[in-house]
Amino acid sequence: MLIANSKRKENIAEYLLYMWQIEDLIRANGCDIDRIEQNVISRYDVDADTRAQIKDWYEGLIKMMQLEGTKQQGHLQINKNVIIRLNDFHNALLGSTKFPEYVAEYYKTLPYIVELRAKSGSQPAGEIETCFNALYGTLMLRLQHRELSKPTQDAVAQISRFIAKLSALYLKDEQKPIIDNDEEIV
């Protein structure tokens, strides 16, 4: 909760990846609040009030996972909504003439996105979600101390640059809109 709130304000991409980790952490603890309290919450060096808020946050997420059928796999709707907002923002950036650097970064990333989508055996994801799937998968491999091939490292580096640019522009837009809604879409 504390980290999620901080990340949400500072970097939407880090927030989303963190929330996906939280979903997996909850699954790893059997969606059991007592196990989460013992294995996760107890490690926070916070006062009792904050600890209770953290527990409530995890309980809320567990209930959402149960209601939404994501106890085994998939993502919570709150996290899907972030992807939807980022995808909409991405499309607005592409449709604007004000962000040529973003568009250039996108076109540098597009071959990697196409390749990842072709290799994916699962349901096709949108471009932004494909990027996040790649970043999250890489994060999981690194946590397992597994080596990444040079082509994979190159792809992830480009995807990271692209998502970083998207996140930075998204943060700017949240502070003060940067997309003119009246601008003619090219």
Side-chain angles (χ1 to χ4, degrees):
M1 175 191 86
L2 302 174
I3 296 169
N5 289 342
S6 172
K7 287 188 180 298
R8 175 66 184 87
K9 293 174 189 167
E10 297 168 10
N11 186 316
I12 193 71
E14 287 182 9
Y15 166 78
L16 185 61
L17 293 170
Y18 178 76
M19 289 302 295
W20 285 6
Q21 265 188 299
I22 293 296
E23 290 170 339
D24 282 345
L25 179 71
I26 290 170
R27 289 182 190 112
N29 284 281
C31 295
D32 181 337
I33 192 61
D34 293 330
R35 285 177 56 191
I36 291 169
E37 191 167 22
Q38 179 183 352
N39 298 327
V40 180
I41 300 170
S42 66
R43 297 172 191 235
Y44 282 95
D45 184 23
V46 294
D47 60 72
D49 223 22
T50 304
R51 189 174 308 278
Q53 290 175 10
I54 293 169
K55 183 178 179 182
D56 288 345
W57 183 71
Y58 274 102
E59 284 179 320
L61 292 174
I62 291 168
K63 286 177 185 169
M64 282 190 261
M65 290 174 78
Q66 291 167 338
L67 290 170
E68 294 177 22
T70 57
K71 284 174 54 177
Q72 302 300 320
Q73 64 181 13
H75 299 296
L76 288 167
Q77 189 61 49
I78 57 171
N79 295 330
K80 289 178 184 177
N81 290 346
V82 172
I83 290 284
I84 291 167
R85 282 194 306 272
L86 285 172
N87 194 61
D88 290 347
F89 185 65
H90 160 74
N91 288 329
L93 291 170
L94 291 180
S96 173
T97 58
K98 296 178 183 176
F99 306 97
E101 299 88 11
Y102 178 80
V103 173
E105 205 65 48
Y106 166 69
Y107 281 110
K108 289 180 198 171
T109 310
L110 189 56
Y112 297 113
I113 296 170
V114 170
E115 184 178 347
L116 286 166
R117 289 171 92 179
K119 287 181 179 179
S120 173
S122 62
Q123 194 173 1
E127 293 173 339
I128 300 303
E129 187 173 358
T130 298
C131 290
F132 276 96
N133 286 336
L135 294 174
Y136 190 71
T138 301
L139 174 65
M140 293 298 103
L141 290 173
R142 287 185 175 146
L143 288 174
Q144 297 167 13
H145 304 290
R146 300 208 15 221
E147 284 291 315
L148 299 175
S149 68
K150 177 71 170 120
T152 300
Q153 290 175 23
D154 294 344
V156 169
Q158 179 57 44
I159 290 168
S160 294
R161 282 190 294 275
F162 169 63
I163 292 298
K165 189 167 278 299
L166 174 63
S167 294
L169 290 169
Y170 185 86
L171 179 62
K172 280 184 183 178
D173 190 67
E174 279 196 323
Q175 294 166 353
K176 181 182 178 201
I178 60 174
I179 299 283
D180 182 4
N181 290 331
D182 296 329
E183 182 177 355
E184 185 176 319
I185 302 295
V186 180

